[in-house]
Amino acid sequence: MTGYRDVQDPVPGGAADQPAGEHGMTRRQLIRHAGWFGGAVVLTVAGGEVISHIAGSRGTGAEAAAVTSGALRFVQVSDSHIGFHGPANMDVVGSFTEAIDQVNMLGFRPDFVMHSGDLTHLSTTDQFDQVRQMMTRLRTDRVFTVPGEHDSIGDAGRAYRQIFGTGTLGDGWYSFDTHGVHFIALVNTLSLEKLGHLGTEQIDFVRKDLAGLSSDTPIVVFSHIPLFAMYPQWGWSTNDALKVIALLRRFSSVTCLNGHVHQLFTKTEGNITFHSATTTAYPLPKPGRAHAPTPQVVPARQLKAALGIRTVGYRQGDRQLAIKDQRLA
């Protein structure tokens, strides 16, 4: 079952199309798998293989794949936090604008752009409208989103769904197919006391959604909060994700992409690879290096470097990421 059409209706106001395991790790393992980057992560799917690199990077395997006839190319941006006002970044609108410009200067037109949550900081109508207007500048045929917990403050995501939830099911989840790849967009931010939580209804949706698919279909799953236990002490995990992970085990290639943690992280377990994206707003501390995941203040002249990007190359079956440092824009 597909809960979201491949071709969608435009959102009001002329915007681009909208949608609309716990596996414990030691700190050493965490550090070995983690790295910083910023801006936009470009995902290329060619021949059933998902490859990632950073927008603006050159000479990567992803670019080589990009010229492959019929390749799918899309972009992930995350955690723009429009409406945030604080010393960690006094101009989140400006930095998100730079990220959009970076996407538009890729040298190709992405098949779609996914914003993986925390579009806004406080879920106000004005903030949702502002980020929607900003994303109309993206040079792509479609824009998809999933909500972050900052997009669900006070109203369980109702304001978010009014603007970005067209064509979605339940509390905003959906799926779609393109270029032979099946995409699932999940909502795991509505139970703030648990933070990362999917719920029975959504897990049933995933079960039915996957039921008719061949096991060799490439699967990409989007969520805001990680589906693995990156750092539960800070809410960087989804408490019932193992039920979905179990449903994904039979597929030969599964890539899970999330935001929320404002930093690059990758973890591979068998057929499933998890990638956390960084932010366009402000850095968060690495797990265990602060008392809480609060915005990190760096000297203004170093902000872009702190959010600085890394080129990331990933091929299905690889055990590690290939990373190249780059600043945002």
Side-chain angles (χ1 to χ4, degrees):
M1 181 176 72
T2 299
Y4 192 70
R5 292 177 299 147
D6 191 28
V7 179
Q8 306 164 56
D9 298 327
V11 297
D17 290 342
Q18 310 281 351
E22 311 315 334
H23 308 289
M25 297 186 74
T26 66
R27 183 172 172 178
R28 177 174 298 179
Q29 288 172 317
L30 196 69
I31 293 170
R32 184 167 63 241
H33 286 279
W36 278 100
F37 73 110
V41 185
V42 181
L43 282 299
T44 301
V45 179
E49 187 173 36
V50 180
I51 304 166
S52 69
H53 69 112
I54 295 299
S57 64
R58 294 291 183 267
T60 65
E63 288 196 341
V67 301
T68 303
S69 177
L72 168 67
R73 294 169 295 182
F74 64 99
V75 172
Q76 180 188 11
V77 296
S78 197
D79 295 88
S80 49
H81 286 271
I82 298 302
F84 172 82
H85 300 287
N89 186 349
M90 300 300 292
D91 186 15
V92 294
V93 171
S95 55
F96 189 50
T97 298
E98 289 191 33
I100 291 171
D101 291 341
Q102 190 168 332
V103 173
N104 291 339
M105 293 187 295
L106 286 171
F108 63 87
R109 185 181 180 91
D111 290 283
F112 66 84
V113 174
M114 166 60 76
H115 192 308
S116 53
D118 281 356
L119 294 82
T120 69
H121 196 64
L122 293 174
S123 302
T124 68
T125 300
D126 288 346
Q127 291 170 7
F128 282 125
D129 185 63
Q130 184 175 11
V131 70
R132 179 185 64 83
Q133 292 288 344
M134 293 179 73
M135 290 196 294
T136 63
R137 292 186 53 245
L138 286 164
R139 295 171 186 164
T140 181
D141 293 333
R142 295 174 291 173
V143 176
F144 297 100
T145 63
V146 294
E149 80 279 8
H150 282 266
D151 302 316
S152 309
I153 295 173
D155 68 349
R158 284 187 290 275
Y160 163 84
R161 291 191 293 276
Q162 286 177 355
I163 295 180
F164 297 100
T166 302
T168 65
L169 301 174
D171 288 326
W173 51 80
Y174 56 96
S175 66
F176 62 97
D177 298 273
T178 186
H179 292 68
V181 181
H182 188 68
F183 295 87
I184 304 174
L186 300 178
V187 179
N188 59 354
T189 58
L190 299 184
S191 180
L192 293 181
E193 67 276 10
K194 300 176 182 177
L195 202 50
H197 183 71
L198 295 164
T200 301
E201 184 181 359
Q202 187 169 203
I203 293 172
D204 287 343
F205 158 74
V206 175
R207 179 179 297 105
K208 295 173 183 176
D209 184 70
L210 296 174
L213 297 179
S214 169
S215 295
D216 61 0
T217 303
I219 307 292
V220 177
V221 182
F222 296 108
S223 65
H224 180 65
I225 297 175
L227 295 179
F228 63 97
M230 180 173 175
Y231 204 68
Q233 298 94 316
W234 287 355
W236 292 1
S237 68
T238 301
N239 67 350
D240 53 356
L242 278 179
K243 296 177 181 177
V244 167
I245 298 302
L247 298 170
L248 296 168
R249 289 294 184 199
R250 72 178 178 87
F251 293 92
S252 58
S253 171
V254 180
T255 305
C256 298
L257 305 172
N258 65 269
H260 188 54
V261 301
H262 295 211
Q263 59 197 274
L264 176 65
F265 184 90
T266 185
K267 174 183 174 69
T268 300
E269 288 195 0
N271 62 321
I272 303 177
T273 300
F274 305 88
H275 287 287
S276 294
T278 192
T279 173
T280 66
Y282 51 79
L284 291 177
K286 293 187 177 181
R289 296 190 180 182
H291 295 297
T294 53
Q296 298 295 286
V297 179
V298 298
R301 66 182 183 280
Q302 297 178 11
L303 180 58
K304 288 185 179 180
L307 298 175
I309 62 176
R310 279 180 169 172
T311 302
V312 182
Y314 168 70
R315 294 180 185 274
Q316 187 179 30
D318 286 356
R319 301 297 299 175
Q320 295 182 340
L321 296 173
I323 298 173
K324 177 182 177 182
D325 290 312
Q326 277 193 349
R327 290 170 37 177
L328 180 66

